[in-house]
Amino acid sequence: MDSEPLVHELSSPGRRGVRPPLPQFQAVDPADALPASEIRADLRLPEVSEIDVMRHFLRLSHRNHSVDTAMYPLGSCTMKYNPKVNEVTARTPGLADIHPYQAEDTVQGALALIFELEALLAEITGFSAVSTQPSAGSQGELVGLLAILAWHESRGQTRTQVLVPDSAHGTNPATGSMSGLQVVNLPTAADGGIDLRDLDERLGPNAAALMLTLPSTLGLFERRIQQVVERVHASGALVYCDGANMNAMLGRVRPADLGIDVMHLNLHKTFSTPHGGGGPGAGALGVQPFLEAFLPGPRVVRRGGGYALADVSDDSIGRVHAHLGNFGNLVRAYTYIRSLGAAGLRAAADGAVLNANYLRARLADDYDLPYDRPCMHEVVFAGTRQRRQGVRTLDIAKRLIDFGIHPPTIYFPTIVDEALMIEPTETESRESLDRFVEVMRQIAREAATEPDTLKAAPVNAPVRRLDEATANRRPDVRLASEFGG
Ligand SMILES: *Cc1c(COP(=O)(O)O)cnc(C)c1O
């Protein structure tokens, strides 16, 4: 692939994109109006025509991998296709062009949308109240733990620990320590679930909560969930559920029915708009009735035939967002839920689980399966056999780029050696899954017979192996500065 020059390198003196008419007034010499130190005499901006700029940036945009270009089986991230109708609704001028400081009576539609979305999410999860204020899954976790701590405090209790299984998402222990809690690690049992005896040992008067990723990052449902919830509650602690993987359970399980007390949803995963459309996310938080008073405010309520913002009780943990959340994401999630309906949401979950199990079955002869049982929406393989052939999981991931497929998540979960965490999502067709299987099988054959091919990969990409750590810590900005940028 040809390398794309910098826009400065396309520059040719005197070339212009737009030539505005000469001003009808007397030009002012900046030197008469500004001190010399404020005047940049030599800007060295690129001089390019409109079509040069257009083609330059369009070519660069084609180098982005996206869900819209090809398969993106990045485990834990739920990179499902984002239906374009979501974008149409999010861009509706009446929703896109409003301002958070507008008077309430001029934004009734937006308030209604938030109110209805919270009600829909409550219906899907079984919780009595949902707040769409948190801006990300991880912020939902923080709000959830703060609400749990506030509840303990309201009962005169100070609890200092949070129990986190080692199959939890990495944000869970991070959130635990951000909340000022001591994170107590729960090792995973041989079947991939929680070991009840370990749980009993660690549950004490200091445990504020168990933070459970359900399904776990091993792609497994916790089969002992009922015993787990009972034991946590018996010790006086609460159960927090990381519900970023709710896409595996839509219409099948309502987490509140399992006895879970608080749970966040990743609207930008489960309800499309993967990774926030490259920008902001939305981490809606659901709670049981006894925790409602602790939710952040203000809340959207029905008032006098319309909608209004209401202050919350003194128990509330306070605001966590300047306004009401990342509204564009809420519009997309609302559109997704309303366009699929209850049956459609359930079919999405069923399809996600079926697709992951299809890959599990079809790749089981070629890659090791550390937890060999039916999975949920994602399947975790291990590149241990290939490692013995001298190939690292990183090499397998890089080779996938040559076939135009985004690599899966690798080396995570950390409890699986050489982990390959694959989440196909329900939006991939049978044909696309079959192609992925063929490519993964070819890579397994290459690992056995020509490992050097894998170590050289990718060869069909604009760049080869990058030193990601150094690129991050010491970015090379030489070219930009050479051109005066
Ligand atoms: C993505 C994810 C998170 C974090 O969500 P962000 O919106 O990225 O902060 C937490 N837990 C799980 C299981 C996830 O997949």
Side-chain angles (χ1 to χ4, degrees):
M1 202 179 278
D2 290 344
S3 73
E4 178 66 24
L6 296 176
V7 69
H8 287 94
E9 290 169 318
L10 297 173
S11 183
S12 175
R15 213 168 265 176
R16 290 279 179 279
V18 182
R19 286 181 196 278
L22 289 173
Q24 301 297 306
F25 49 82
Q26 180 82 42
V28 177
D29 185 349
D32 295 338
L34 293 169
S37 61
E38 298 298 323
I39 299 174
R40 285 185 72 181
D42 188 12
L43 267 183
R44 282 186 286 173
L45 292 174
E47 298 183 67
V48 278
S49 67
E50 182 173 326
I51 193 171
D52 287 345
V53 175
M54 188 68 207
R55 287 180 177 164
H56 171 68
F57 285 106
L58 199 66
R59 281 194 299 265
L60 286 178
S61 76
H62 286 174
R63 295 193 173 178
N64 284 339
H65 190 98
S66 70
V67 192
D68 288 355
T69 28
M71 193 172 171
Y72 206 141
L74 192 65
S76 209
C77 293
T78 313
M79 302 300 285
K80 64 165 78 172
Y81 176 69
N82 178 43
K84 293 300 162 263
V85 64
N86 295 354
E87 299 307 312
V88 174
T89 53
R91 283 167 175 70
T92 304
L95 294 172
D97 298 341
I98 51 177
H99 192 276
Y101 288 132
Q102 265 178 247
E104 268 170 27
D105 62 342
T106 67
V107 290
Q108 284 294 303
L111 296 180
L113 187 142
I114 293 176
F115 185 88
E116 280 187 32
L117 176 63
E118 290 185 347
L120 288 167
L121 297 173
E123 188 182 334
I124 290 168
T125 56
F127 290 107
S128 65
V130 172
S131 166
T132 51
Q133 219 180 87
S135 300
S138 44
Q139 198 186 21
E141 293 170 23
L142 182 67
V143 174
L145 280 194
L146 293 180
I148 287 175
L149 289 177
W151 177 76
H152 282 303
E153 226 160 82
S154 74
R155 297 158 32 103
Q157 295 204 358
T158 308
R159 293 184 171 227
T160 54
Q161 297 178 333
V162 58
L163 274 51
V164 183
D166 56 12
S167 62
H169 192 265
T171 48
N172 293 190
T175 301
S177 49
M178 266 192 82
S179 314
L181 292 166
Q182 182 201 349
V183 177
V184 179
N185 184 46
L186 270 182
T188 294
D191 70 347
I194 287 181
D195 186 318
L196 294 178
R197 250 175 313 171
D198 278 330
L199 178 67
D200 284 338
E201 262 171 38
R202 288 165 173 78
L203 274 174
N206 277 329
L210 166 73
M211 240 183 145
L212 187 73
T213 303
L214 189 73
S216 72
T217 60
L218 295 167
L220 301 176
F221 190 79
E222 175 55 66
R223 291 190 284 204
R224 293 179 285 276
I225 183 71
Q226 257 156 343
Q227 292 100 303
V228 167
V229 169
E230 274 163 24
R231 280 157 207 244
V232 172
H233 284 163
S235 79
L238 298 183
V239 181
Y240 182 93
C241 178
D242 178 334
N245 296 333
M246 185 67 200
N247 58 313
M249 306 190 290
L250 292 170
R252 290 280 176 188
V253 181
R254 297 197 315 165
D257 296 342
L258 298 173
I260 285 160
D261 300 294
V262 193
M263 182 181 89
H264 82 264
L265 295 163
N266 276 48
L267 300 189
H268 55 284
K269 293 177 180 172
T270 302
F271 301 101
S272 71
T273 330
H275 280 202
L285 190 78
V287 296
Q288 297 280 11
F290 68 96
L291 288 168
E292 266 183 47
F294 302 94
L295 284 177
R299 316 241 16 230
V300 180
V301 296
R302 266 190 201 280
R303 191 181 287 158
Y307 298 88
L309 288 178
D311 286 334
V312 280
S313 79
D314 289 343
D315 289 331
S316 164
I317 64 159
R319 262 181 191 277
V320 296
H321 192 280
H323 303 291
L324 298 173
N326 286 325
F327 184 63
N329 276 46
L330 306 186
V331 178
R332 290 173 176 89
Y334 178 80
T335 308
Y336 184 77
I337 293 170
R338 292 301 297 268
S339 49
L340 264 70
L345 290 178
R346 183 175 167 140
D350 290 356
V353 173
L354 179 64
N355 281 2
N357 280 288
Y358 182 71
L359 293 184
R360 184 179 64 84
R362 292 212 58 205
L363 287 172
D365 289 340
D366 300 277
Y367 294 89
D368 293 334
L369 264 175
Y371 297 93
D372 191 4
R373 65 166 160 108
C375 59
M376 298 293 283
H377 62 299
E378 58 197 355
V379 54
V380 179
F381 288 100
T384 33
R385 199 180 315 171
Q386 288 73 25
R387 176 88 226 202
R388 287 194 294 275
Q389 293 161 343
V391 164
R392 294 174 306 160
T393 295
L394 179 75
D395 302 319
I396 297 172
K398 293 292 184 194
R399 184 72 175 127
L400 275 167
I401 296 172
D402 281 335
F403 295 95
I405 297 173
H406 195 285
T409 298
I410 54 173
Y411 301 115
F412 183 82
T414 48
I415 53 173
V416 172
D417 253 3
E418 303 291 329
L420 277 159
M421 186 197 210
I422 300 169
E423 180 176 9
T425 81
E426 74 281 6
T427 53
E428 291 306 318
S429 66
R430 168 85 186 266
E431 292 77 10
S432 137
L433 297 177
D434 284 340
R435 172 162 186 271
F436 180 72
V437 167
E438 286 321 312
V439 168
M440 287 297 285
R441 286 183 173 169
Q442 175 174 337
I443 292 174
R445 281 194 301 275
E446 287 174 354
T449 57
E450 40 173 325
D452 288 346
T453 304
L454 294 192
K455 286 189 212 140
V459 289
N460 300 330
V463 288
R464 307 285 292 274
R465 295 278 172 117
L466 298 175
D467 180 348
E468 286 150 14
T470 305
N472 203 4
R473 299 206 179 108
R474 282 191 282 121
D476 181 0
V477 290
R478 180 181 48 84
L479 276 171
S481 57
E482 254 173 27
F483 288 101

